[in-house]
Amino acid sequence: MRTTSKLLTATYRFGGLLFLFLLSETNLFAVEKLILTGSSTVAPLMSVIGKRFESSHPSIRVDVQTGGSSRGIADTRQGLANIGMVSRSLSSNEHDLKFFTIARDGICLIVNKANMIKELSDQQIIDIYTGKIKNWSEVGGKKAPITVVNKADGRSTLELFLKYFSLKSSSIKAHVVIGDNEQGLKTVAGDPNAIGYVSIGAAEYSHTHKAPIKLLPISGVAASIKNVENGSFPLSRPLNLVTKALPKGLEKNFITFARSKEVSDLIRRQYFVPVAN
């Protein structure tokens, strides 16, 4: 009898464990994934917004992948992503997509903190990036060769930089080509002779957290999120989410959440300007 009792107890325990296992597997398969791809400027913001969204939607997982705004556009069109991240206005041949602005940002030039240069004119910036000016001594700095850091093709930061300074990509004489903002910040922070351009939000965040970089003004206007917000900074842009069709269901709920006042604190913490409804 004791043996039978022990056997029954073991069977019940096994059955309970099997039930819990099957329950966990059922929950696992019930998880719905929302995939966002695109802009490396928007991605860190979407990651923190995604985590807050998940906290009130436990069956949802928000998967954020970078690769540039061009990837966000392409993946959305091809159905590889639910939502694309694009850190610029949409061009005329992209109006088949639906876009939703979640914040505003700017693009600024950065140099190493050790660089004595405080400001460059638009023409000096053009001449540096086209190889006409090759040494910092030519613009009032120390005698040292300039390391020109440029963005890779497909990055919206590059497109806006070229448009603002009326340059062609083929005319840029770069020593280092980088992808995301983090790469640009690390490159300039590690090279006292480097110059690059990145998101103001990313630059201000890094500077505040003691990265050895310096933000340069453009056309005499200090590079700051404050000046993006008041409209005085000349090189600003919208940060957008895009979908293939009018969003509904999970996509609509997430975009509505990402544009709401519920995440304004996260947007400001990432050093962007909220445009919450």
Side-chain angles (χ1 to χ4, degrees):
M1 290 294 291
R2 288 182 181 178
T3 302
T4 303
S5 177
K6 287 180 180 179
L7 183 60
L8 286 172
T9 300
T11 302
Y12 287 141
R13 285 177 179 173
F14 175 78
L17 289 171
L18 180 61
F19 174 77
L20 290 173
F21 173 77
L22 292 173
L23 183 63
S24 67
E25 287 293 291
T26 301
N27 288 337
L28 177 64
F29 288 115
V31 169
E32 191 173 358
K33 184 180 284 188
L34 187 69
I35 300 174
L36 287 77
T37 70
S39 166
S40 61
T41 297
V42 182
L45 174 59
M46 285 301 101
S47 292
V48 294
I49 288 177
K51 287 176 182 176
R52 182 170 289 183
F53 186 79
E54 288 175 348
S55 67
S56 56
H57 299 78
S59 64
I60 305 299
R61 291 295 174 267
V62 181
D63 181 7
V64 179
Q65 304 171 22
T66 61
S69 293
S70 294
R71 181 190 174 188
I73 293 289
D75 284 359
T76 302
R77 279 177 168 161
Q78 295 169 26
L80 299 175
N82 302 98
I83 299 172
M85 302 175 290
V86 182
S87 51
R88 57 169 171 76
S89 300
L90 269 64
S91 60
S92 57
N93 64 349
E94 294 169 343
H95 284 173
D96 56 307
L97 300 173
K98 308 302 178 186
F99 72 95
F100 306 88
T101 301
I102 54 169
R104 291 197 64 80
D105 181 33
I107 296 171
C108 68
L109 276 296
I110 57 171
V111 294
N112 190 278
K113 186 179 179 181
N115 195 322
M116 65 177 69
I117 294 296
K118 295 181 179 179
E119 186 171 358
L120 294 168
S121 69
D122 286 4
Q123 190 58 54
Q124 286 174 326
I125 293 167
I126 292 168
D127 289 345
I128 286 172
Y129 270 84
T130 55
K132 293 177 182 176
I133 293 176
K134 298 181 179 181
N135 198 288
W136 284 113
S137 61
E138 297 176 63
V139 290
K142 67 178 182 179
K143 190 173 182 178
I146 300 173
T147 303
V148 176
V149 181
N150 195 39
K151 282 271 191 172
D153 288 337
R155 302 284 175 164
S156 64
T157 311
L158 168 65
E159 295 174 29
L160 290 164
F161 179 83
L162 295 175
K163 183 178 180 181
Y164 180 81
F165 290 105
S166 300
L167 290 169
K168 293 181 179 179
S169 185
S170 58
S171 65
I172 301 292
K173 308 298 182 186
H175 301 104
V176 180
V177 177
I178 52 96
D180 58 29
N181 290 307
E182 191 64 28
Q183 287 179 302
L185 291 162
K186 286 181 178 178
T187 301
V188 174
D191 184 347
N193 299 320
I195 183 170
Y197 56 92
V198 296
S199 152
I200 284 183
E204 273 207 284
Y205 180 86
S206 294
H207 182 262
T208 303
H209 289 76
K210 309 303 180 184
I213 61 165
K214 185 161 54 178
L215 286 67
L216 298 183
I218 292 181
S219 299
V221 181
S224 69
I225 285 301
K226 180 181 178 181
N227 286 336
V228 171
E229 189 165 12
N230 65 31
S232 63
F233 193 74
L235 191 46
S236 64
R237 59 182 174 174
L239 304 181
N240 296 313
L241 298 180
V242 299
T243 56
K244 191 172 184 178
L246 277 175
K248 47 189 175 180
L250 176 57
E251 293 171 9
K252 181 180 179 181
N253 291 341
F254 181 79
I255 291 171
T256 299
F257 181 75
R259 301 180 75 214
S260 72
K261 291 180 180 178
E262 292 180 68
V263 299
S264 292
D265 62 317
L266 299 179
I267 292 172
R268 289 198 179 278
R269 253 184 250 168
Q270 293 286 322
Y271 289 79
F272 297 127
V273 178
V275 290
N277 295 326

